[in-house]
Amino acid sequence: MYKTHLANQSYDFKTLRNLMAKASPARSGDYLAGVAAVNNLERVAAQWLLADVPLKQFLTEALVPYESDEVTRLIIDSHDTQAFAPISHLTVGDFRNWLLSDQADTATLNAIAAGLTPEMVAAVSKIMRIQDLILVAKKCRVITRFRGTIGLANRLSTRLQPNHPTDNPAGIAASILDGLLYGCGDAVIGINPATDNLEATTRLLHLLNDVIERYQIPTQACVLAHVTTTMKAIEQGAPVDLVFQSIAGTQKANDSFGINLAMLQEAHEMALALKRGTVGNNCMYFETGQGSALSANAHEGMDQQTCEARAYAVAREFKPLLVNTVVGFIGPEYLYDGKQIIRAGLEDHFCGKLLGLPMGCDVCYTNHAEADQDDMDMLLTQFTVAGGTFIMGVPGADDVMLNYQSTSFHDALYVRQVLGLRPAPEFEQWLQQHQLFDGDNRLIRKDVPALFGSVGLLPTK
């Protein structure tokens, strides 16, 4: 029981799970789930109490029972007590103060990452302002490699997302060309297939592989099919670079996705065995999003932000190249407006980076949310100031297959220019070699280089 007295009123929070939920900043999904604070006074009371909870408490009071949830078992069984030792004496509030201090530099944060649990980082995020989330995340540095090096300082990568409502090869190729001309695609060229079946997935995998090999692009491809579809494609000899899967923070939620940890482990081993990376072997790509567990009625009484952080424990187990929080995709039922989307995106990035993950953000919203592109400009800028690893590059920022609003190729140019950020070094060299970018990473031509027209992506004259 966690008790306090505030403004002539007593507050009792029966469990740590209840306390965490009540302390979470307001968002529509938690109200929908019936776990949110009833007002700001109750929220402040919960945050006040949460600040005094020892970090060790999260190792003894599981939010979801160890016996019934394999995500909880993963979190507890993989906890590194040696990495945790330097901060094991701290409370949540002390941990916040330490994170904001100069003592918590990049090397130190990297050293403690394995000793942190998702619940610890979720808890501290709940008592932090946006500027706190940005400052601490900026100090984290997570570097991954496949055919390019992702996450280096002063770099921002992009996922080129050439989705098409009918998986039309010509339409996809046109979007890929458009993105490459704007310097997008160093994180991955990743397609959400309109039809998730083996035939469609295999066809798209070959299309992407042909483009990458033909132009010798130092990047990786991914078709965001279900993991079991990709595993079948590997068995049939398809050219798979990255294995994709959406993941969540409870066993029940992952069951609703049709996955479990053993399945992800098998897929990871299959992808590693292909040895398709040239500079590294990080070969998994995961996507997450606050509200996914609640939408499956599998949140186990937790608030959605804590559920989201627990998904990062699943991702961390498989050493991914990329993790992407698709922050506003599920809709206003979970993140109502621009303010809630912005806060959630920065929380996700902060929590993922502290846990040692290469965090990207799909800066996005659905058309029925109380948000617009100005809100997304705010999140895009703040996310990249915070050291975000990658963003999306969608033609016109409007995904014509998934029907939601994201960030465009031009948005990537904007934020790279404003903050002096560059693509991954291998990709940057390729862009300059083919005279798409100059030495300052600015576009130097507006016509289509002969590189593309002469080898079949575009009709030759």
Side-chain angles (χ1 to χ4, degrees):
M1 182 77 73
Y2 301 86
K3 297 181 179 181
T4 191
H5 193 79
L6 187 66
N8 297 318
Q9 188 167 343
S10 295
Y11 293 94
D12 295 339
F13 305 99
K14 295 182 179 179
T15 65
L16 185 55
R17 178 177 61 192
N18 178 236
L19 180 66
M20 291 272 282
K22 298 294 187 180
S24 195
R27 57 207 55 190
S28 52
D30 289 340
Y31 287 113
L32 182 64
V35 301
V38 296
N39 54 40
N40 285 332
L41 194 59
E42 184 181 31
R43 181 171 296 108
V44 169
Q47 291 172 340
W48 187 279
L49 282 169
L50 184 60
D52 287 334
V53 173
L55 292 180
K56 289 180 179 178
Q57 185 73 15
F58 294 97
L59 300 175
T60 58
E61 186 176 349
L63 304 194
V64 185
Y66 181 94
E67 297 75 17
S68 62
D69 186 272
E70 69 172 1
V71 177
T72 299
R73 292 194 291 274
L74 172 66
I75 292 168
I76 298 301
D77 295 347
S78 63
H79 181 251
D80 188 330
T81 55
Q82 186 174 353
F84 180 58
I87 56 169
S88 61
H89 62 289
L90 300 178
T91 65
V92 172
D94 293 333
F95 185 41
R96 172 191 176 274
N97 294 338
W98 180 83
L99 287 170
L100 293 171
S101 73
D102 292 336
Q103 184 181 353
D105 58 16
T106 299
T108 305
L109 291 175
N110 287 341
I112 68 165
L116 297 174
T117 70
E119 292 85 353
M120 293 175 190
V121 298
V124 75
S125 76
K126 296 178 191 298
I127 61 170
M128 299 181 90
R129 294 170 57 184
I130 279 182
Q131 67 173 247
D132 300 338
L133 299 173
I134 292 173
L135 189 154
V136 176
K138 180 74 171 180
K139 295 192 286 187
C140 297
R141 181 64 52 202
V142 181
I143 300 170
T144 56
R145 296 176 173 87
F146 192 76
R147 292 198 189 100
T149 305
I150 309 298
L152 293 170
N154 302 313
R155 305 272 179 174
L156 176 69
S157 294
T158 56
R159 169 190 163 189
L160 204 172
Q161 185 170 310
N163 294 345
H164 192 278
T166 63
D167 289 338
N168 179 270
I172 291 171
S175 293
I176 292 174
L177 173 62
D178 193 18
L180 291 173
L181 291 174
Y182 282 101
C184 291
D186 52 333
V188 63
I189 303 176
I191 301 174
N192 297 90
T195 304
D196 188 342
N197 61 46
L198 181 58
E199 180 182 0
T201 297
T202 301
R203 183 172 62 251
L204 292 174
L205 284 167
H206 280 288
L207 186 156
L208 293 177
N209 186 66
D210 289 347
V211 169
I212 289 173
E213 288 194 348
R214 185 174 297 175
Y215 304 125
Q216 293 296 294
I217 308 170
T219 190
Q220 37 283 326
C222 186
V223 175
L224 282 68
H226 192 271
V227 63
T228 54
T229 305
T230 304
M231 292 165 72
K232 291 176 183 176
I234 292 175
E235 290 172 348
Q236 293 193 2
V240 173
D241 291 341
L242 306 184
V243 173
F244 166 81
Q245 183 54 47
S246 294
I247 56 174
T250 69
Q251 181 175 331
K252 287 183 179 179
N254 285 325
D255 285 344
S256 74
F257 289 154
I259 63 167
N260 55 49
L261 297 180
M263 182 185 296
L264 294 177
Q265 180 63 38
E266 182 181 359
H268 186 216
E269 291 172 359
M270 292 175 70
L272 285 173
L274 296 177
K275 298 181 179 179
R276 291 177 59 83
T278 56
V279 298
N281 61 359
N282 300 113
C283 56
M284 302 296 282
Y285 175 21
F286 295 116
E287 287 194 343
T288 65
Q290 290 193 26
S292 59
L294 174 57
S295 68
N297 194 28
H299 61 102
E300 300 280 17
M302 291 182 290
D303 65 274
Q304 65 185 35
Q305 190 259 333
T306 301
C307 281
E308 170 73 4
R310 282 169 54 94
Y312 302 154
V314 177
R316 182 168 63 175
E317 179 70 7
F318 303 104
K319 301 176 178 60
L321 181 75
L322 307 166
V323 179
N324 179 32
T325 169
V326 194
V327 64
F329 181 73
I330 304 180
E333 299 84 0
Y334 307 96
L335 295 169
Y336 178 72
D337 57 14
K339 182 176 181 178
Q340 291 187 10
I341 292 171
I342 291 168
R343 170 84 194 190
L346 296 172
E347 286 172 348
D348 295 349
H349 177 246
F350 165 88
C351 290
K353 279 291 185 64
L354 271 183
L355 292 169
L357 290 175
M359 292 299 298
C361 182
D362 191 342
V363 178
C364 64
Y365 63 101
T366 59
N367 289 313
H368 62 308
E370 289 294 322
D372 58 27
Q373 213 63 38
D374 284 343
D375 296 310
M376 297 306 101
D377 284 348
M378 291 296 293
L379 176 54
L380 169 65
T381 305
Q382 293 172 16
F383 172 76
T384 47
V385 167
T389 301
F390 69 103
I391 59 171
M392 305 301 107
V394 178
D398 185 359
D399 192 303
V400 295
M401 195 278 282
L402 293 174
N403 294 309
Y404 78 115
Q405 308 303 311
S406 185
T407 45
S408 70
F409 307 140
H410 299 79
D411 292 331
L413 285 179
Y414 145 73
V415 79
R416 282 173 172 166
Q417 181 176 340
V418 166
L419 297 176
L421 303 172
R422 298 147 58 194
E426 299 87 351
F427 194 78
E428 177 184 47
Q429 183 179 4
W430 181 85
L431 290 170
Q432 293 177 2
Q433 175 188 349
H434 294 290
Q435 298 184 324
L436 300 176
F437 277 19
D438 64 17
D440 295 321
N441 285 306
R442 295 176 184 267
L443 292 174
I444 59 175
R445 59 188 301 161
K446 296 182 179 180
D447 57 326
V448 178
L451 166 72
F452 295 111
S454 62
V455 290
L457 189 58
L458 289 178
T460 55
K461 294 183 180 179

